[in-house]
Amino acid sequence: MTQKVAVLGTGKIGEALLSGMIRAGWAPADLLVTARRPERAEELRARHGVTPVTNAEAAKSADTLILTVKPQDMGTLLDELAPHIPTDRLVISGAAGIPTSFFEERLAAGTPVVRVMTNTPALVDEAMSVISAGSHATGDHLATAEEIFGAVGKTLRVPESQQDACTALSGSGPAYFFYLVEAMTDAGILLGLPRDKAHELIVQSAIGAAVMLRDSGEHPVKLRENVTSPAGTTINAIRELENHGVRAALIAALEAARDRSRALASGKKD
């Protein structure tokens, strides 16, 4: 890439994105960063060779601005940036729950905005990033966002109306798997295994199952049935999961996450 990209509010996800972009071929000299604390900005310079700038400098000189601040700080950041962003700048938002219209109302008319919901596996280049166009974003703008976020995992285009559902499934999704691993580890201890061995068994099983889901092309029901022999151990475990309403609880949990994403978009804090 020859364009300049600025990451504003460079926390863990922002730094993971920078690192992935550099590995994918971006020149550090073309990457700008902003951070709230000067020592954090200098840490990023030392670690990655990128250039720390102010928010205003980033808005004036970068071709693409990636805003990774917390949702509650986005309005303040846009107030600071708006006087400095020309209409040919691409603005990419990584803030959960904030629609592209929020940005378009605060920036110059015609400014292209792309909304991206990524997740924490970006830290290990296995992110799932969901990309939606604002009313002024073109296919080229979406392709730029895909190239940037493709450096840290997989990307998927969806209509913005589906972003809240995607936030519930993949944005929050890693937490559900961590929660499940935590519960299974506790079960392993209850069954008499040391914690470290229970953890290793479960993590490797999770990795293997995920690779099979990704690479086999089989429906998850088919893969589950392949493990489930008549009157065996697995079907007894599945029966207990159904008896305790685990499937219904998961559906309810995802609905709750989606509803919270919608509430954040409408400005509700509680």
Side-chain angles (χ1 to χ4, degrees):
M1 295 287 290
T2 56
Q3 65 167 282
K4 284 191 177 294
V5 176
V7 180
L8 285 72
T10 314
K12 288 184 178 179
I13 294 295
E15 184 175 7
L17 189 58
L18 282 173
S19 179
M21 292 169 68
I22 292 169
R23 289 192 300 277
W26 269 265
D30 291 329
L31 299 176
L32 311 177
V33 297
T34 76
R36 181 173 296 179
R37 295 179 294 107
E39 58 269 26
R40 170 62 174 166
E42 287 305 316
E43 178 183 290
L44 292 167
R45 184 205 298 270
R47 187 176 296 159
H48 304 289
V50 297
T51 304
V53 294
T54 66
N55 290 330
E57 289 170 339
K60 293 174 184 177
S61 56
D63 301 292
T64 297
L65 304 173
I66 305 173
L67 312 186
T68 61
V69 300
K70 295 177 180 178
Q72 61 267 32
D73 296 330
M74 193 62 77
T76 301
L77 176 62
L78 289 175
D79 289 342
E80 181 182 352
L81 294 176
H84 307 291
I85 298 180
T87 56
D88 62 348
R89 296 290 189 267
L90 170 59
V91 175
I92 299 176
S93 166
I98 301 182
T100 55
S101 60
F102 180 90
F103 298 85
E104 292 167 349
E105 291 165 0
R106 289 162 175 79
L107 299 174
T111 302
V113 179
V114 171
R115 178 177 172 182
V116 180
M117 181 72 250
T118 193
N119 57 18
T120 57
L123 297 168
V124 292
D125 292 348
E126 291 291 349
M128 182 69 251
S129 301
V130 184
I131 297 174
S132 301
S135 58
H136 307 297
T138 66
D140 287 343
H141 295 131
L142 289 172
T144 297
E146 286 174 330
E147 186 162 8
I148 291 171
F149 282 84
V152 292
K154 188 174 182 179
T155 64
L156 180 69
R157 294 188 192 185
V158 301
E160 189 170 10
S161 61
Q162 296 177 0
Q163 275 279 356
D164 292 320
C166 293
T167 297
L169 263 71
S170 65
S172 300
Y176 313 146
F177 290 103
F178 299 147
Y179 181 85
L180 179 61
V181 168
E182 178 187 358
M184 291 178 70
T185 300
D186 287 343
I189 295 168
L190 179 66
L191 297 174
L193 291 170
R195 178 176 293 275
D196 60 339
K197 288 186 170 57
H199 180 79
E200 184 174 358
L201 288 166
I202 295 160
V203 169
Q204 183 56 38
S205 296
I207 292 170
V211 171
M212 290 180 71
L213 279 166
R214 185 190 64 191
D215 296 346
S216 70
E218 296 281 3
H219 193 280
V221 170
K222 176 64 175 176
L223 294 173
R224 178 179 60 78
E225 288 176 345
N226 289 342
V227 188
T228 310
S229 55
T233 59
T234 305
I235 192 59
N236 275 273
I238 296 295
R239 179 185 64 183
E240 288 302 313
L241 291 172
E242 295 292 351
N243 286 343
H244 286 80
V246 171
R247 187 187 302 265
L250 281 171
I251 292 171
L254 291 170
E255 287 180 327
R258 180 213 50 202
D259 293 346
R260 182 54 181 159
S261 182
R262 288 176 175 172
L264 289 171
S266 67
K268 295 180 181 178
K269 297 182 183 297
D270 299 316

